[in-house]
């Protein structure tokens, strides 16, 4: 499995709803509202980088209220 | 009490109105229009970090004309 | 307990060593090397925001090879 | 008088010392350590923009441990 | 007179029209389309920082097609 | 010929469609979806910098779903 | 094979030397000096994301004169 | 002739000296200290983009006290 952290900026006032909706998506391990330059930080996993890419584009980005997502794949160095 | 600076980017031309509206919100100690990468800088306080988070999401972000907010909690190191 | 994600940029070539060193610090729940604008993403906890601030400044930032840290406190909205 | 907020990034581990040193500089009204993309947020004033510029370059930036400063002049719109 | 450079990001495809419209605003000395993180760079002047602030908010930001402006006042150090 | 890399941020969920549409534009040598702070990275060429600028503004930016473009001209140093 | 674009910021004046040195590293398909917020843009490939991560940390980041690297893995969506 | 704006971040306290030194470089039309995310903004020209690139790397970046430069070529759209 490949893991990634996804740093999310939401539209104004949408952080709580986005956090809740993303938590329910299969493949998402954890989703938390935060303060700072990002509004929600998600940990997700998928079999390959392409699967993770599709999880982000086809599912996470479909959640209403999302403005920008930044995917940071975990690497074992 | 926990304090925070909130750095705000407004929609085009909205800085004056946003500054005025935020100044009236309970918990907001100060709000000023500025030049640079941010349009308004606010100082606010709340009993806990979660309360500050709710003040930002449930009240400040509801002011018409806001584009992005960046909350910087004050810490006593 | 208050939780935070800490997004870390390391000096060139130092990501593996920084990830390993941080993992051993009490209060750090998880530390992973990632690709993207950050090199390491950490999850940590402390009794208060000030304690988290001190954990970052007095312990995490003392690890050799760190360039910038960005603390994002988790908030329950 | 012209006022400005100065957003400061410090070198690793230096936030407490920088905050304390800046607080003692004439013209500085307030200096606080924060979390987020900045480490210290300062409020200062000077008779003109040039004076504020010199306060930053000739005094604040001389404090040991500072990495970047970002001056945001307050404007009355 | 106080001078400032104003770094402008336009909405997609609007750079030429924005450059032309801004060039006609009194107080604007020069406006050019550029490549890079900004789309238009403007040089303008006004009697005070507040006047420059109003020139930006009340006139430049009213030009159709502007997305973000970043004002950098010139300082004589 | 002058070459440039164009780093593109798309609107939420649009990366695949934007990548495909841009690949078909004359002057575009390569277009790939990526993860990280950008969603699509393009390599394009044109006879002069102005031609490249027009290729970006008049053609690439007309593709539906684009949010920001950042042009980085290649230089032979 | 997994591909990635690596966006590199070099130390002052080092772009030409860094571009040349990186071009010689096995796994690097292309390296070009550019203007804009990055100084060199590289295209590289490796069998897995971890291999790409190691190529960056263990080889590319060892080239003298590099300041920051930003790895953007290519994804087939 | 091709023109460019060069946005410069200097090392702490070096803005005045950098501005003065750059003003004397042939090809530099104007150099001013500013406040905001940049410390000096320069306007320069050269026969081609490559010449401009070399002016930046071989001359401007050799001035003591420079930390980052960002070249924004002017384009006639």
């Amino acid at each position: 499995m490949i893991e990634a952290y996804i740093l999310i900026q939401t539209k104004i006032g949408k952080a709580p709803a986005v956090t809740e909706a993303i938590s329910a998506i299969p493949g998402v391990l954890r989703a938390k509202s935060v303060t700072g330059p990002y509004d929600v930080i998600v940990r997700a996993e998928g079999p390959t980088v392409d699967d993770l890419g599709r999880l982000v584009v086809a599912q996470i980005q479909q959640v209403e209220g999302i403005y920008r997502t930044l995917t940071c794949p975990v690497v074992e160095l």
Side-chain angles (χ1 to χ4, degrees), chain A:
Chain A
M1 276 292 189
I2 293 196
E3 233 187 72
Y5 284 94
I6 301 146
L7 315 179
I8 295 176
Q9 293 180 330
T10 68
K11 289 175 184 166
I12 284 292
K14 299 288 186 187
V18 166
T19 303
E20 197 179 331
I22 288 180
S23 303
I25 297 177
V28 167
L29 305 170
R30 203 164 190 273
K32 285 285 179 183
S33 295
V34 293
T35 68
Y38 306 102
D39 303 303
V40 185
I41 292 185
V42 173
R43 185 155 70 92
E45 64 177 6
T48 70
V49 173
D50 289 349
D51 293 311
L52 266 171
R54 279 188 284 272
L55 171 64
V56 170
V57 172
Q59 298 201 53
I60 290 178
Q61 289 187 351
Q62 301 311 315
V63 169
E64 202 282 320
I66 288 184
Y67 170 62
R68 284 297 303 161
T69 68
L70 170 51
T71 303
C72 306
V74 171
V75 283
E76 302 298 337
L77 300 176

